[in-house]
Amino acid sequence: ASSSSASGTKGENAKPAIKPGFLSKKSKKKEPMFLVRWYEKTIGPNSLFMKVYPIAKNYVLFFGGVFLMHFHGHQLSLPPPV
């Protein structure tokens, strides 16, 4: 008789008034501004540019020197002997 009266009580099947952990909700992380996101993607310390730059710099200097000597070599040459 006690089991039938206990199962029919109001508090057992009802949802709790307060959800567990409602005070410790994690706040939404604020998304950074557009310029901050743009900086981090393009020229920031972890961007692709900063990872490729040390390698690409050597090639740019080498081929820039080849270009300069090929097309402006006459300006780099010594004057003709007198």
Side-chain angles (χ1 to χ4, degrees):
S2 64
S3 65
S4 65
S5 66
S7 64
T9 58
K10 206 176 199 182
E12 284 186 17
N13 295 333
K15 293 181 181 177
I18 299 173
K19 293 179 183 176
F22 82 101
L23 287 176
S24 59
K25 283 185 182 176
K26 295 181 180 171
S27 61
K28 291 183 180 179
K29 192 170 185 182
K30 189 174 156 184
E31 191 171 318
M33 292 174 30
F34 170 74
L35 290 175
V36 173
R37 284 184 286 142
W38 182 78
Y39 167 77
E40 289 172 354
K41 282 194 291 188
T42 54
I43 57 173
N46 293 326
S47 65
L48 179 66
F49 176 75
M50 286 302 202
K51 291 183 174 150
V52 172
Y53 175 73
I55 299 165
K57 177 186 68 166
N58 295 327
Y59 289 101
V60 169
L61 288 174
F62 175 77
F63 288 112
V66 169
F67 177 84
L68 181 71
M69 287 185 271
H70 180 76
F71 290 103
H72 295 283
H74 61 281
Q75 294 176 357
L76 300 171
S77 64
L78 294 172
V82 182

